[in-house]
């Protein structure tokens, strides 16, 4: 072999060895970048966790749920309750399929890459109120790891941001542009308008990501926006770069102080309060030359304190209702950003108070209480009486019905009466062991008396069949016959439900998101509210992606997990947004109505101390809106009119 050929082969051999070694180091390095979805990636086994809800939210969810769809489990050791049917996704991986929690509130994601991830969960109650939560980052280090996230607790989610997106030239961002908030996708509508999904009431700032398909994920702009009021959306108008890479957008947030106290959510403001406002620029140095601040006081006014700089003092109007303060910031070469915050101006109407008097019936004196109307009184320390045991407070002198301090409310001036039993009559405890069901309070009963049958207990996936005298569930307790003769524990009997739970999912095909449903196998799904897609009309739900067979919600019985697909047809008639300014009343959701059609009259809002008169076309409340005759021809805001409520007496 010639010497030069031999030397060439040796050189090639060493070069190949070096390349393979470097590639191997990258493949074996657990902290190297991971291209999710590539064939060479080595996913972890799973990422799992549990979704819970606080005990204070238990009643609202339980009270609105369909009895045929059990969505709650018993309280665990921490006092929280797991939630079945909650939607769960990963913020950093919005394209990974969402999960639905099982009957134990658990979820599992499989085949994930290494990285730091936040888990987000949402639960929509029957009254359409949303609860949501986002976890702390969960780190997945190696490709062989099975990760477990800490349990997350749902909280009421009412804060939204709405607004308009423009490009660096001031043109509207195209309709259909995808936006992402906490990993949840939503879309820009006509004229650059958008409304974000709701976030929990304690969230103050969050990033909205503009997810254009032609822009790499790492280059997508993340726009920080302020989530302020749970009553009305925060409104913004901002510019985002689309083609000019040198254009750097910015945003801003307002710090609000009321009488010197900083607040992060809307609260009631009286016209004597001092409201200090300060602009905090995000992504723009406040010392940049040429910045212009343009303030608008809405229904209020600004003091002589500077109104063209980064701070202002706002004076509330003398009339109650929602007031909106706005400021637009412009900077040379950086575009502009406008922020509008809603504030509630009102004078709260104090509820009347009534006296709750305690007739001790020869026992020691117990002081009366002054209690606000429809509120619960505090249970006082038990009185004493020589030779007797105190047996509770009763609603009438005949001692027939016991006053329950946890349930009974004071509705008028009231007297309760002490009951006494001679000391020689013993009392015993009656404990209810729910065996996995929701907990029940123990009772105290006199020897030889009948126990009071408790409220029902609930256990997901099971039917309650009665109380039994022993844990083996042999002899059932009869509350009409069996008497208390000592400290007693009763045990709940359960039988498992036969029908399994299945999931019905809705692919809106580019329209607004529709929440999945959890139903029993062999039952029918409930037709959801129609989704919305700018420029199209919703034609119905179909059983397959090819949109051949329209799904019949009344006749179809579902036996396994199923996906339904939305069908859209181009709309020849534009749609407009109808907003409802409740003027201090309870919030009313906006509507999307076709041009020339009539808006739907919403449920009547409420406001303490006032009577609702109707919806008006103008903020001066001069022209009443007629839902049977008036038609929508443009984006419209209707205003609620209120009159003071006549004060009654007892």
């Amino acid at each position: 072999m010639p010497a030069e050929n031999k030397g060439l082969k040796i050189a090639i051999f060493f070069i190949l060895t070096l390349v393979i070694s470097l590639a191997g180091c990258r493949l074996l390095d657990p902290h190297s970048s991971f291209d999710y979805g590539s064939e060479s990636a080595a996913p972890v086994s799973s990422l799992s966790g549990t979704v819970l809800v606080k005990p204070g939210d238990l009643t609202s969810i339980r009270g609105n749920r369909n009895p045929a769809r059990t969505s709650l489990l018993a309280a665990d050791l921490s006092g929280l309750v797991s939630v079945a049917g909650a939607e769960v996704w990963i913020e950093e991986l919005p394209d990974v399929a969402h999960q639905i929690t099982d009957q134990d509130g658990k979820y599992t994601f499989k085949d994930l890459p290494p990285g730091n991830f936040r888990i987000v969960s949402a639960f929509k109650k029957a009254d359409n109120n949303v609860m949501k939560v986002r976890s702390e980052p969960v780190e997945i280090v190696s490709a062989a790891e099975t990760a477990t996230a800490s349990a997350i607790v749902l909280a009421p989610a009412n804060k939204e941001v709405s607004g308009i997106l423009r490009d660096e030239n001031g043109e509207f961002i195209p309709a259909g542009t995808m936006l992402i908030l906490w990993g949840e996708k939503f879309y820009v509508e006509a004229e650059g308008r958008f409304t974000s999904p709701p976030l929990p009431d304690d969230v103050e700032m969050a990033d909205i990501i503009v997810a254009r398909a032609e822009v790499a994920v790492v280059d997508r702009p993340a726009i920080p926006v302020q989530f302020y009021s749970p009553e009305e959306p925060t409104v913004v108008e901002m510019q985002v770069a689309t083609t000019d890479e040198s254009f750097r957008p910015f945003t801003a947030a307002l710090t609000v102080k009321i009488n010197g106290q900083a607040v992060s959510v809307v609260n009631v403001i009286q016209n004597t309060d001092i409201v200090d406002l300060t602009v905090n620029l995000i992504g723009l140095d406040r010392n940049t030359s040429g910045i212009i601040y343009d303030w608008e006081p809405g229904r209020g006014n600004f003091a002589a304190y500077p109104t063209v700089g980064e701070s202002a003092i706002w004076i509330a109007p003398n009339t109650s209702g929602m007031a909106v303060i706005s400021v637009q910031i412009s900077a040379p070469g950086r575009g502009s950003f406008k922020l509008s915050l809603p504030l509630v101006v009102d004078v709260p109407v104090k509820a009347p108070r009534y006296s709750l008097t305690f007739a001790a019936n020869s026992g020691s004196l117990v002081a009366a209480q002054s209690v606000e109307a429809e509120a619960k009184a505090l249970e006082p320390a038990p009185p004493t009486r020589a030779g007797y045991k105190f047996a509770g407070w009763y609603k009438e002198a005949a001692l027939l019905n016991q006053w329950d301090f946890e349930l009974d409310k004071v509705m008028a001036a009231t007297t309760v009466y002490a009951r006494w039993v001679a000391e020689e009559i013993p009392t015993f405890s009656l404990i209810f062991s729910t065996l996995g069901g929701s907990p029940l309070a123990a009772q105290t009963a006199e020897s030889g008396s009948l126990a009071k049958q408790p409220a029902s207990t609930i256990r997901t996936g099971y039917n309650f069949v009665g109380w039994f005298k022993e844990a083996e569930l042999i002899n059932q307790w009869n509350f009409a016959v069996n008497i208390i003769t000592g400290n007693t524990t009763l045990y709940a009997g359960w039988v498992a439900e036969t029908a399994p739970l299945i999931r019905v999912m809705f692919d809106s095909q580019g329209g607004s998101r529709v929440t999945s449903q959890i139903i029993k196998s062999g039952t029918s799904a409930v037709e959801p509210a129609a989704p919305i897609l700018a420029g199209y009309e919703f034609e119905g739900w179909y059983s397959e992606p090819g949109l051949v067979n329209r799904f019949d919600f009344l006749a179809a019985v579902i036996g396994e997990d199923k996906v339904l697909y939305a069908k859209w047809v181009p709309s020849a008639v534009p749609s407009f947004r109808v907003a409802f300014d409740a003027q201090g009343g309870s919030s009313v959701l906006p509507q999307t109505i076709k041009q020339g059609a009539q808006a739907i009259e919403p449920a009547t809002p409420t406001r303490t101390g006032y009577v609702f008169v109707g919806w008006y076309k103008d903020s001066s409340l001069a022209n009443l809106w007629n839902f049977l005759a008036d038609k929508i021809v443009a984006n419209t805001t209707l205003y609620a009119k209120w009159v003071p409520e006549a004060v009654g007496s007892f």
Side-chain angles (χ1 to χ4, degrees), residues 36-357:
Y36 183 71
S38 67
E39 294 182 359
S40 62
V44 299
S45 298
S46 66
L47 172 59
S48 59
T50 307
V51 179
L52 305 173
V53 69
K54 294 180 180 179
D57 297 319
L58 176 62
T59 303
S60 62
I61 298 177
R62 179 189 295 161
N64 289 301
R65 70 182 178 89
N66 187 329
R69 300 176 189 167
T70 305
S71 58
L72 297 176
L73 296 179
D76 62 14
L77 295 179
S78 66
L80 299 173
V81 176
S82 54
V83 181
E87 189 171 4
V88 186
W89 62 91
I90 300 176
E91 179 179 0
E92 292 77 9
L93 301 175
D95 294 326
V96 171
H98 292 201
Q99 300 287 316
I100 301 296
T101 55
D102 63 15
Q103 62 181 5
D104 296 321
K106 298 184 181 300
Y107 60 87
T108 298
F109 290 94
K110 297 182 179 180
D111 300 330
L112 298 181
N116 282 294
F117 304 118
R118 290 179 183 265
I119 301 298
V120 185
S121 179
F123 184 88
K124 189 172 184 180
K125 300 188 289 184
D127 58 5
N128 289 325
N129 287 325
V130 175
M131 304 187 74
K132 190 172 288 185
V133 63
R134 181 176 68 162
S135 74
E136 294 298 321
V138 181
E139 183 178 12
I140 298 176
V141 177
S142 67
E145 181 181 351
T146 299
T148 301
S150 300
I152 51 179
V153 182
L154 292 165
N158 298 291
K159 285 187 175 181
E160 295 179 345
V161 169
S162 65
I164 297 174
L165 285 175
R166 299 178 182 270
D167 62 20
E168 64 272 21
N169 299 316
E171 301 295 330
F172 294 127
I173 294 291
T177 301
M178 181 190 298
L179 306 178
I180 301 176
L181 174 65
W182 278 17
E184 186 171 2
K185 300 176 182 178
F186 58 108
Y187 296 88
V188 176
E189 299 178 1
E191 297 182 340
R193 299 187 179 276
F194 70 92
T195 298
S196 74
L199 292 189
D201 295 353
D202 61 351
V203 173
E204 298 181 23
M205 296 290 297
D207 290 344
I208 293 179
I209 298 174
V210 182
R212 299 195 309 279
E214 68 275 10
V215 179
V217 173
V218 295
D219 296 327
R220 290 173 175 175
I223 308 170
V225 292
Q226 185 172 13
F227 287 75
Y228 185 73
S229 169
E231 282 84 7
E232 290 288 333
T234 304
V235 179
V236 297
E237 184 169 350
M238 64 188 90
Q239 290 183 262
V240 182
T242 56
T243 57
D244 185 358
E245 296 181 357
S246 65
F247 182 84
R248 293 178 295 128
F250 70 92
T251 63
L254 274 177
T255 297
V256 182
K257 290 185 178 180
I258 299 177
N259 300 328
Q261 181 68 39
V263 295
S264 59
V265 295
V266 67
N267 58 354
V268 175
I269 300 172
Q270 301 186 32
N271 57 6
T272 56
D273 291 336
I274 299 176
V275 181
D276 288 277
L277 305 165
T278 302
V279 175
N280 302 299
L281 299 177
I282 303 172
L284 176 65
D285 187 346
R286 68 184 184 89
N287 295 316
T288 300
S289 176
I291 296 180
I292 299 175
Y293 299 89
D294 184 10
W295 292 85
E296 295 181 6
R299 295 198 300 115
N301 293 287
F302 288 123
Y305 190 92
T307 60
V308 294
E310 62 185 23
S311 300
I313 292 181
W314 185 71
I315 301 173
N318 292 323
T319 56
S320 299
M322 186 67 69
V324 179
I325 303 170
S326 65
V327 58
Q328 179 167 314
I329 308 101
S330 303
R334 300 294 300 277
S336 66
F337 178 81
K338 186 174 183 179
L339 171 66
S340 301
L341 290 187
L343 298 174
V344 173
V345 181
D346 205 350
V347 178
V349 179
K350 293 184 177 180
R353 303 182 69 88
Y354 300 106
S355 176
L356 180 65
T357 305

Side-chain angles (χ1 to χ4, degrees), residues 450 477-483:
L450 296 172
W477 182 274
N478 189 334
F479 286 91
V481 175
N482 297 125
I483 61 174

